[in-house]
Amino acid sequence: MKRKGMAAIGVAAMMAGLVACGSGDGGTADGDKKLTVWVMDGSAPKEWVEELNKEFEAAHEGVTVEIEEQQWNGIQERITTALSEDAPPDVIELGNTQTAGYAVTGGLADLTDIKADLNYDNWNKGMLPSAELDGKLYAAPWYAANRVVIYDKKIYEKVGVEPPTNRQEWIEGLEKIRKSDKDVQPIYLPGQSWYVFAGFLWDEGGDFAVEDGDQWKGALATPEAEKAISFYKKLQSFSKAPKDTDEATPQQSTDVVPKGDVASWIGLGWEAAGAVEAIEKAGGEADFGYFPIPGKTSEKPGSVFFGGSNLAVAERSTDKELAQEWLKAATSEKWMKKYAEATAGGLLPNTEAAQVRPESGSFAEAMVKASGVGNITPVTPGWANVETEPNPIKEYMTKVLKGTDPTKAGEEADKVISERINKS
C-alpha cells in the first residue's frame, strides 16, 4: 500500500538528505563489511537513522550501514528482482500487505528463532499478523498509521455539534449539520473508500475473505458485510462525493476539502497536512479537529485499517546475522521510542511502550486512540491480486450504493475475490 508522507501534521519531509548509494555487494574494497538497507521515501527521519547507524557502527567495528531510499512507484518489481539476486539489500522495508507475497517465494529470511530478541510478545497485535505466514515470522513490524475523522471546528461549533463517541451520535450530528445548511456537506465520503468500509466490516465480525480448507473464498455475500455496507451507505448519503471513485479521485485533501463547504471527512495524517497546506496557500485558515472513527458503542472506537511497513532480512543477504542485528536494533523499544519522537507521534511504533504522548487535540492523539482496534486485510500471498484494478471491493460498494441488492453484489464480488486470492 502506498503511504508516502503518512506522518501527521508538522512532520517534515523526513527522508531529505538520506544517502542513496551503495551497490548491495556486502563489502568494501578494504575488507570491511557494508550493510545495505532499503527504506521507502517518507519512512525514516534523517536524524533518527543517522543516530541509529552511528551507534550500530560503533558497536560493530568495521561495519558501515548504507541507507538506500526507494520510491513507492514500481517498488514491488524492484524488490522482486533484488531478492532474486546473489547480493540483495540486506534489510528491506516492505508494505504490510506485501510481506506475505515475498515470504512465500523464499526471498525473506525466517526470523522465527529470534522472536524473543525482537520483542515479539510486546508488538502491537494489529501489526503482527502481516509479519507472519504459516506460523513463521518473516519480518518485524516497524510502523503503522490509521485514518481518523477530520472536521471543521467552525462548522461544528456553529451548528452545535460535538465530536461523537458512537455511530448513533455520529449520524445524529451529520443530520443536524445537513438541516442547518444545505450548501455544506456534512461529510465528504466517496463511494469507493474501501479502507473505511473495511473498518465497518470488521466491526460486524466479517472480513473480505476467509480460509476454506487450503483455499480462500470471498466473504462479501454475508450478513456481516450487508450490515457494514448498509451503514456505509447511510453515511455516504450525507455526502455529495461520487459513488464510483475513491478518496484519491479527486484527491479529497487537496482538490475537495480546500474549496470549503465540507464539515468533515476521513483521512490519514498526510492528507490532513496536505489540506492545511492547500488552504493556507490559498490565503485561508485551516481550523481542523480530529476524532477516532466512532464504534457501534461508546466503549471503543470503530475498527481501522492499519497501513504501514515491516522490516525484513533478505534470505540471500551476504551477512544475515549482521542484518538481523541491525533489525533488532531498529525495531527495539529504545529506537522505536526515538522513532515515535522523531515523527512527532504521527506514526504508530510497533509497541505501545514506545508510543509518545501526542499533543492534545492533534491528529496523532485521535489516531493513537484507535490504534488498539487496528486490523489488516487477509494475510495471504494472493491478497495483492485482489487489490488489482478493477478492484472487486470497490465495484461491490458502488453497485450497492447505486441500488443493487447487497447479496447479489456480494456474490459477484466474491467470485472475483476467490479467483484472484488463490492465484500464486
Side-chain angles (χ1 to χ4, degrees):
M1 172 186 167
K2 295 182 180 180
R3 298 173 308 286
K4 179 169 176 67
M6 282 177 61
I9 299 172
V11 180
M14 300 185 299
M15 293 298 292
L18 280 180
V19 180
C21 59
S23 60
D25 59 8
T28 56
D30 61 4
D32 288 342
K33 293 181 178 179
K34 181 176 67 176
L35 195 68
T36 303
V37 179
W38 276 16
V39 296
M40 302 309 302
D41 175 26
S43 292
K46 177 183 177 182
E47 295 78 9
W48 177 83
V49 78
E50 287 181 346
E51 185 182 357
L52 166 64
N53 288 341
K54 182 178 180 180
E55 180 175 290
F56 187 83
E57 291 170 355
H60 298 78
E61 186 177 355
V63 172
T64 300
V65 181
E66 296 281 5
I67 301 294
E68 296 190 359
E69 178 185 343
Q70 303 295 316
Q71 301 298 316
W72 283 108
N73 188 31
I75 188 58
Q76 294 196 51
E77 293 79 6
R78 292 198 300 278
I79 291 177
T80 298
T81 299
L83 291 176
S84 68
E85 296 174 342
D86 292 334
D90 300 286
V91 180
I92 303 177
E93 176 186 350
L94 304 171
N96 60 353
T97 61
Q98 303 169 353
T99 304
Y102 297 117
V104 78
T105 66
L108 306 182
D110 184 350
L111 306 176
T112 309
D113 290 343
I114 61 170
K115 285 166 64 171
D117 296 333
L118 288 169
N119 199 30
Y120 175 93
D121 290 339
N122 294 317
W123 284 341
N124 183 299
K125 303 309 178 188
M127 299 182 192
L128 175 57
S130 69
E132 296 183 304
L133 182 66
D134 296 332
K136 294 184 178 181
L137 183 69
Y138 290 98
W142 189 15
Y143 67 83
N146 53 261
R147 290 164 176 78
V148 309
V149 181
I150 305 160
Y151 70 97
D152 188 312
K153 287 183 179 180
K154 292 181 180 178
I155 295 177
Y156 266 52
E157 290 173 1
K158 180 182 179 181
V159 179
V161 174
E162 295 290 332
T165 62
N166 57 56
R167 287 188 184 179
Q168 182 176 345
E169 293 177 358
W170 195 11
I171 295 298
E172 289 174 351
L174 296 176
E175 286 276 16
K176 194 171 182 179
I177 294 171
R178 178 161 60 185
K179 290 179 180 178
S180 70
D181 192 337
K182 300 295 184 181
D183 294 326
V184 171
Q185 290 190 70
I187 186 170
Y188 180 82
L189 181 65
Q192 296 184 344
S193 290
W194 71 276
Y195 291 118
V196 175
F197 169 67
F200 302 151
L201 182 57
W202 293 325
D203 281 344
E204 299 296 344
D207 209 335
F208 293 112
V210 294
E211 290 185 84
D212 183 27
D214 59 354
Q215 296 283 297
W216 286 77
K217 65 178 182 179
L220 290 179
T222 60
E224 293 83 4
E226 183 171 354
K227 290 178 182 177
I229 195 63
S230 293
F231 179 72
Y232 189 98
K233 186 175 183 178
K234 187 172 187 178
L235 201 62
Q236 212 272 333
S237 70
F238 292 96
S239 177
K240 299 177 183 177
K243 291 179 172 57
D244 57 357
T245 63
D246 60 23
E247 66 278 9
T249 315
Q251 174 49 247
Q252 59 183 11
S253 62
T254 54
D255 297 329
V256 178
V257 174
K259 294 178 181 178
D261 299 329
V262 173
S264 65
W265 48 295
I266 300 172
L268 291 160
W270 69 266
E271 291 182 293
V276 170
E277 182 180 0
I279 291 170
E280 293 180 345
K281 187 175 181 180
E285 181 179 350
D287 190 15
F288 290 143
Y290 313 94
F291 58 84
I293 295 174
K296 299 180 71 174
T297 71
S298 299
E299 302 303 315
K300 66 176 182 178
S303 298
V304 288
F305 172 77
F306 264 160
S309 282
N310 300 325
L311 288 173
V313 173
E315 173 62 25
R316 294 191 179 188
S317 165
T318 55
D319 197 333
K320 283 197 287 186
E321 184 175 340
L322 184 64
Q324 289 175 3
E325 288 300 311
W326 190 90
L327 181 66
K328 290 177 189 177
T331 60
S332 67
E333 184 178 318
K334 170 186 174 179
W335 285 99
M336 287 277 51
K337 186 172 183 179
K338 288 178 176 289
Y339 183 82
E341 292 170 346
T343 60
L347 294 173
L348 298 166
N350 62 17
T351 174
E352 185 177 349
Q355 182 63 52
V356 299
R357 183 184 294 275
E359 181 182 345
S360 178
S362 66
F363 181 98
E365 181 183 51
M367 181 178 68
V368 170
K369 287 180 180 178
S371 63
V373 286
N375 207 342
I376 60 171
T377 50
V379 179
T380 174
W383 178 256
N385 300 324
V386 176
E387 293 189 25
T388 302
E389 297 293 343
N391 184 323
I393 302 168
K394 290 182 176 181
E395 294 189 332
Y396 158 80
M397 295 173 69
T398 294
K399 288 177 182 178
V400 176
L401 293 179
K402 289 187 174 182
T404 300
D405 177 73
T407 300
K408 182 177 184 297
E411 290 172 347
E412 293 171 350
D414 286 345
K415 182 178 180 180
V416 179
I417 292 173
S418 299
E419 179 183 344
R420 291 186 184 184
I421 201 170
N422 291 304
K423 286 183 179 179
S424 58

